[in-house]
Amino acid sequence: MGNLWIGRPGSMAEIDQAAKSFDRSADLGVSEFKSLGGRVTVTRNQAPVRRLKLAWDLLPPAPARALDRIARRIDGSGPVYVIDPAAGNVLAPAQAAGTGVAGATDITGLAQWFVTLPTGTLTTTTPGVFAFTATDATSTVAWRCTATVGNFPVTPGLPISFRAPTALAALGTVTVGLDYKKADGSYLSSSTTPGPLVTGTVPPGAAYATPTAKPGTPGTYSLAGACLTYGGTAADGVPGDGLPPMSVTGYSDAPGRPLPYRNFSLDLVEVSGAAG
């Protein structure tokens, strides 16, 4: 398990001191209605919203200043990303399982992935279950970050690891990679490894990353079981946690004893946008 990183793509701050309290419970949005006859009806939000509550005692000046800048939006508006050390897989839950909305061509369905060469296709094997068909040895599939509808947010110095889906990992010919990209999305460099697992450290100048897998053997392969991990080593079959954009909804900053240490807390919520 790695450290917590927080901020905007390309400029996240690393917080290497463990929080004294860390609540990552999702808000299920469940409401109950009890009828006069005693029966209960439950309604809930279609998708749970992640909330984070973090608190530190005696935080050193440098990380405290970084958190203060993020909370007060000193470096600009917009959402931030939290690399949660408790999250073993930052792929979206359905994406990690190779599933999605049946028949959808948007980010809830086939658009969770894309092909980097015209020699492969994404297919539906059964309703809501997806696969990659490699037509030759060069066919390559890549993963989109469903939260950004693009690349996965990273920052220089962040350890990152990707493991191919279970069906591809079983091939002796598979090659996996991590493409690092600049803030404008343009290509910077890659980490590529023969086999099902690649690990690397995000290089200077990178703000995003895209995991890729090349089966090396023609065929149709399930996309289930892929894992993208920050701060650790990706493993097979880890459920997806997602990497949603978040906004700070509250914070506290109190001088600690002794100075210059500070007692700091942050409240964050998953958002679809955080302008202003």
Side-chain angles (χ1 to χ4, degrees), residues 144-158:
R144 283 192 174 99
C145 179
T146 60
T148 65
V149 196
N151 305 301
F152 288 85
V154 295
T155 203
L158 175 67

Side-chain angles (χ1 to χ4, degrees), residues 177-191:
L178 292 162
D179 292 342
Y180 304 112
K181 299 176 180 178
K182 301 177 184 178
D184 61 3
S186 59
Y187 175 81
L188 180 65
S189 63
S190 295
S191 297

